[in-house]
Amino acid sequence: MRRFFSFFVALLSNAFAVASNASNVSSINLLSESQKLGFSVQWDSLSASGIIERAGHRVSFRADDPFVLQDCRKMELSDAPEIRDGVLYVSQRFIDSVSRFLRDSAYGENSFRVKAILIDPGHGGKDPGAMATHKSGSGKIQILEKDVNLRASLLLYEKLKAAYPDKQILLTRRKDIDLPLDKRTEIANSIKLSENEAAIFVSVHSNSSPDKRASGYEVWYLDPAYRRTVLEKGAESDSALYNIVNAMMEEEFTMESMIISKLIIDGIQAQVGTEANLRGIKSEEWYVVRNSNMPAVLIELGFVSNEDEARKLLDDDYLKKLSLGIYNGLSAFVTHFERSHGFTEMN
């Protein structure tokens, strides 16, 4: 996780007093003005937060908050953006501050990088996950989710390891062992990162349903309505500033998780085409996703309860397609993150 240091605390000694006296005439349409200035804007209406970006540098902001975050490192006080009639307005002071930072920042090599990708094969050991038995000629075939998850994860691991020798490509388990949910997130949150480094958590699962016709793949990310703590809080931290920064980081992780989900879905679809049903991107409060302090997604490869899909999930060639699709999605995210600090349009 990109870390925030105690120097932020000093900012709050008189920040709110300044904010109460600051000019707050928000009359400029941010999207229109940013287009004129050559800035790109990412806006998430659910969390009322956004990113203004130019040449690999970015300013994070939230509606009705007087703080902006520059390149995930420096907090600055400005006028709070406002939403009126569905339009995002800011003051000239806000525009001047953002423009000054984005235009004056050095445009040299981007130091932001994805340092680690942690792959989590769901279930294992005494926990088989979803199970199903299907007829096969005169006999039967049994499929266990834990085995499918592990095989697909190992294939993904091999692809990522070969492509990124400079990154930490990790697995929560490499064989059929018991691994509690809290241990999985503990492994994720123990990854050591410097200020400009990021990690990604990818949990691999297979689905099941009482409806034997249900089939297809889907990707889940944490419901934006769920509130979590993603930032370490030191004893000297000011609660007001801490809450603001934590909320901004949390929303940033959610936006990144949404982007990863979209890229993975696109990657899988490109590989399997009409062989599988595209079920889309969904949000939920899965344990491993909500307790990982980083962008995190959960992938459902298919339904073991569907006889046709179960046969595919037992086929290594089909699993190779799925793992390649996931790899291509993650690779696309890594490229965008390291070139543009992790945010890109989701078309």
Side-chain angles (χ1 to χ4, degrees):
M1 181 176 69
R2 279 88 71 191
R3 285 172 166 75
F4 293 84
F5 299 100
S6 58
F7 62 78
F8 281 133
V9 176
L11 205 89
L12 217 66
S13 58
N14 62 358
F16 288 106
V18 174
S20 63
N21 297 322
S23 169
N24 195 26
V25 181
S26 298
S27 58
I28 300 173
N29 183 314
L30 177 60
L31 298 182
S32 298
E33 189 67 15
S34 294
Q35 188 174 19
K36 294 177 186 176
L37 295 171
F39 303 155
S40 65
V41 178
Q42 295 287 330
W43 174 250
D44 180 10
S45 58
L46 291 177
S47 61
S49 64
I51 304 289
I52 306 170
E53 183 183 20
R54 181 176 187 265
H57 294 271
R58 65 182 176 185
V59 174
S60 307
F61 66 93
R62 299 175 67 203
D64 301 323
D65 269 350
F67 292 98
V68 297
L69 190 60
Q70 300 172 342
D71 276 353
C72 294
R73 290 176 298 192
K74 182 181 178 183
M75 185 77 77
E76 183 166 306
L77 186 67
S78 186
D79 296 333
E82 298 178 9
I83 302 174
R84 299 198 300 271
D85 298 324
V87 179
L88 187 59
Y89 291 97
V90 295
S91 68
Q92 186 62 50
R93 177 188 176 198
F94 182 95
I95 290 292
D96 290 343
S97 173
V98 169
S99 298
R100 185 166 52 251
F101 170 71
L102 293 180
R103 294 190 184 283
D104 292 348
S105 296
Y107 297 148
E109 183 178 353
N110 191 343
S111 60
F112 277 67
R113 64 187 292 264
V114 172
K115 178 181 179 179
I117 300 175
L118 177 61
I119 307 164
D120 174 41
H123 306 282
K126 294 182 295 184
D127 175 15
M131 299 183 294
T133 301
H134 301 287
K135 292 181 180 179
S136 178
S138 59
K140 296 180 179 180
I141 58 170
Q142 184 180 50
I143 181 170
L144 303 179
E145 179 189 353
K146 66 176 183 177
D147 297 334
V148 175
N149 300 344
L150 183 58
R151 285 203 301 273
S153 295
L154 290 172
L155 289 168
L156 176 60
Y157 172 84
E158 291 171 2
K159 288 179 171 61
L160 289 169
K161 194 73 174 174
Y164 298 110
D166 61 325
K167 302 185 187 303
Q168 294 181 21
I169 310 301
L170 309 168
L171 284 159
T172 56
R173 66 181 180 96
R174 295 173 178 268
K175 52 187 178 180
D176 187 20
I177 60 171
D178 293 319
L179 194 65
L181 293 177
D182 57 352
K183 181 62 177 178
R184 298 170 193 263
T185 55
E186 181 183 326
I187 293 171
N189 296 333
S190 66
I191 297 173
K192 301 299 182 184
L193 302 171
S194 67
E195 183 180 352
N196 293 344
E197 293 177 331
I200 303 170
F201 184 89
V202 181
S203 190
V204 180
H205 285 256
S206 303
N207 224 330
S208 183
S209 172
D211 182 359
K212 305 303 181 183
R213 297 169 298 176
S215 69
Y217 56 93
E218 57 198 26
V219 182
W220 296 76
Y221 66 92
L222 182 63
D223 190 325
Y226 185 84
R227 300 271 67 92
R228 59 175 170 162
T229 298
V230 299
L231 184 64
E232 295 175 4
K233 185 175 183 180
E236 77 286 0
S237 298
D238 184 286
S239 294
L241 180 57
Y242 170 84
N243 291 336
I244 291 173
V245 177
N246 181 77
M248 294 178 79
M249 285 300 299
E250 178 193 23
E251 289 156 6
E252 200 160 301
F253 287 163
T254 298
M255 291 178 72
E256 290 173 339
S257 299
M258 292 171 65
I259 294 170
I260 294 171
S261 299
K262 175 65 166 58
L263 292 172
I264 288 176
I265 280 286
D266 290 346
I268 295 176
Q269 187 177 27
Q271 293 301 314
V272 303
T274 58
E275 288 186 74
N277 178 33
L278 168 61
R279 295 172 62 87
I281 303 170
K282 304 178 181 182
S283 62
E284 185 53 270
E285 298 171 13
W286 301 116
Y287 184 95
V288 291
V289 174
R290 74 172 187 259
N291 287 286
S292 301
N293 298 339
M294 60 189 63
V297 298
L298 186 147
I299 304 166
E300 295 281 7
L301 300 172
F303 284 75
V304 302
S305 51
N306 181 291
E307 183 174 349
D308 290 338
E309 195 152 71
R311 295 180 189 280
K312 293 176 183 177
L313 293 174
L314 290 171
D315 180 6
D316 282 344
D317 288 338
Y318 184 74
L319 284 185
K320 287 177 182 177
K321 292 181 182 180
L322 290 176
S323 64
L324 180 57
I326 299 168
Y327 162 79
N328 286 337
L330 291 172
S331 178
F333 178 80
V334 169
T335 298
H336 283 298
F337 183 91
E338 296 184 343
R339 289 183 180 176
S340 63
H341 291 200
F343 282 88
T344 183
E345 297 266 351
M346 289 204 304
N347 297 318

